[in-house]
Amino acid sequence: MKRFSNLFLVSLLSGVTTLSAYKLLFENNNYFSNNKNAVVTLASNSYGKQVGLSAENVDFTEAAEKTIHTVVHVKNVSRTTISNPILEYFYGYKGDQQQEQIGTGSGVIISEDGYIVTNNHVVKDATEIEITLNNKKSYKAKLIGTDSKMDVALLKIDADEKLPYTAFANSDSVKVGQWALAVGNPYNLTSTVTAGIISAKARNLDTSGIQSFIQTDAAVNPGNSGGALVNTRGELIGINTMISSPTGSYTGYSFAIPSNIARKIIEDLMEFGNVQRGVLGVEGGELNALASKELGVSETEGFYIKKVSKKSGAEKAGLEKGDIIVKLDDQNVATFADLSGYINTKRPNDKVEVTFIRDGKNKVLPVVLSKNEFFSTEFKGMELENIDAASKNRFHLDYGVKIKSITNENLKQYQDELIGNIILSIDNVKVKDLETVSKILNNKEEEQSIRIEMINKKGQIIQIII
């Protein structure tokens, strides 16, 4: 009897243990529950965190289906005339030969009547552009306009049907960590789709043009340039433009022009035939620990104003040297890329609410943006201005700054020869515009000598060191 009692007691304890374990592990909200909202408390102390066990069920098929039919293959045919000096010398043959080069890339249909956005470098120097849709139909494309600074081009095809197109999303609302799809048509097969996340925003790669890229880890390779970067709803958040790679192929990161910048450029090209660029009228640089220490300021984020351009909206509004810009409208400004990226979505005469720090206090001023062409800057005793359309046409240039006047006493005796010349490079850095000059100035000491390459009024290339 005693042995039976012991067995009964053991059985009872085993049953209680089994039941307790089941309730602990398998019922709702416990470790092995089927409840998809289950959470696990990692620690019971004050440092405990709750982590959701269920993963978001992300489905890319809808976004991919929406986008693949709007992304096209772009074929660029350029022809150049070449001569053969050996044939000319030995045989007197002076006939020129036509050399044909073919480049390819991708593009995105943005309207049902056939407007297509791509990269400027995809169609640069093209004498003929051919578009192939995802359904294999091909059309000749007309180049509507380009913006070489921002690497955007607008094309138009006349199709025999209404075309599927991708709608623009607000790229300012994109968040780091959200899913994104990169869609391209690089090999004239059909559109290809890759997925990744947004790795960073307002990425500055120190290019002479775009300074506010969206960075993603979705695989993008050569030939995908001009393709679409879309969100999980299939809306356009960027135009895939470049990769950062020592091999020339994808190794982890790719970069896209934000859709807000691309959309503004496209609207300008459609309405005005050229890009309307608004500028704030300030020069300076972004703050970091080292810069803040040198400047003697406590803030380590924001844009520090070193100079306010004369007659600019910034000067008229009352911005001053030493002010630190921390916000434009509702967009925070921590870096130069934040500032330039937002301003690039605006036009002359647009009003921007500028939040800045002065004497430790936050202040807000409305600033009306001005046209870039109105500005000049002082550089080594030379007043410089952006070149106008007449100078671009005369010298077949799409970059450079013109010498407007001379204030440097050492150069005064040469002012007749210098005024009107167009500076092409400074210390072998190509000068696109006044913004480039400003960036070079920020990296140079005043007493440093520099080498300047310029084209004079006769069209001759000359170099000077000052």
Side-chain angles (χ1 to χ4, degrees), residues 8-24:
F8 177 78
L9 182 60
V10 170
S11 300
L12 180 63
L13 290 173
S14 298
V16 170
T17 303
T18 302
L19 181 62
S20 299
Y22 177 83
K23 293 182 69 65
L24 175 65

Side-chain angles (χ1 to χ4, degrees), residues 77-122:
V77 179
S78 60
R79 297 183 180 89
T80 56
T81 302
I82 60 172
S83 59
N84 192 321
I86 297 177
L87 289 177
E88 289 180 10
Y89 182 79
F90 287 105
Y91 303 105
Y93 177 75
K94 295 185 180 297
D96 292 328
Q97 294 177 309
Q98 288 281 326
Q99 186 179 58
E100 185 177 281
Q101 291 182 320
I102 296 176
T104 61
S106 302
V108 187
I109 304 172
I110 56 170
S111 69
E112 64 179 15
D113 57 345
Y115 280 99
I116 296 169
V117 62
T118 185
N119 289 139
N120 177 65
H121 75 260
V122 170

Side-chain angles (χ1 to χ4, degrees), residues 297 303-307 320-324 357-359:
V297 297
F303 182 84
Y304 183 87
I305 299 177
K306 293 182 179 178
K307 180 183 178 183
E320 300 174 358
K321 177 182 178 181
D323 290 343
I324 301 170
I357 299 173
R358 180 186 294 171
D359 299 327

Side-chain angles (χ1 to χ4, degrees), residues 47-195:
Y47 299 102
K49 293 182 180 180
Q50 289 188 332
V51 180
L53 287 179
S54 61
E56 182 184 0
N57 184 21
V58 181
D59 187 356
F60 299 127
T61 56
E62 183 180 352
E65 181 64 25
K66 280 184 178 179
T67 312
I68 56 175
H69 301 294
T70 71
V71 174
V72 301
H73 179 76
V74 181
K75 179 182 176 182
N76 163 9
V77 179
S78 60
R79 297 183 180 89
T80 56
T81 302
I82 60 172
S83 59
N84 192 321
I86 297 177
L87 289 177
E88 289 180 10
Y89 182 79
F90 287 105
Y91 303 105
Y93 177 75
K94 295 185 180 297
D96 292 328
Q97 294 177 309
Q98 288 281 326
Q99 186 179 58
E100 185 177 281
Q101 291 182 320
I102 296 176
T104 61
S106 302
V108 187
I109 304 172
I110 56 170
S111 69
E112 64 179 15
D113 57 345
Y115 280 99
I116 296 169
V117 62
T118 185
N119 289 139
N120 177 65
H121 75 260
V122 170
V123 297
K124 186 178 181 181
D125 300 325
T127 53
E128 184 181 305
I129 302 171
E130 183 180 284
I131 299 297
T132 303
L133 306 183
N134 200 46
N135 62 11
K136 299 296 187 178
K137 290 184 178 181
S138 293
Y139 300 92
K140 298 295 182 186
K142 178 184 178 183
L143 181 62
I144 301 299
T146 65
D147 182 2
S148 59
K149 181 182 174 80
M150 294 295 163
D151 200 16
V152 172
L154 181 64
L155 310 175
K156 176 72 166 65
I157 61 173
D158 294 320
D160 52 7
E161 58 184 326
K162 289 184 178 180
L163 299 173
Y165 64 93
T166 297
F168 283 87
N170 179 7
S171 55
D172 288 339
S173 300
V174 171
K175 295 182 179 180
V176 174
Q178 81 174 55
W179 286 105
L181 274 69
V183 186
N185 195 326
Y187 305 117
N188 201 14
L189 300 171
T190 53
S191 294
T192 58
V193 181
T194 56

Side-chain angles (χ1 to χ4, degrees), residues 198-214:
I198 303 299
S199 306
K201 291 177 61 178
R203 181 67 82 204
N204 186 356
L205 301 184
D206 200 27
T207 66
S208 57
I210 316 158
Q211 290 155 337
S212 187
F213 288 97
I214 293 174

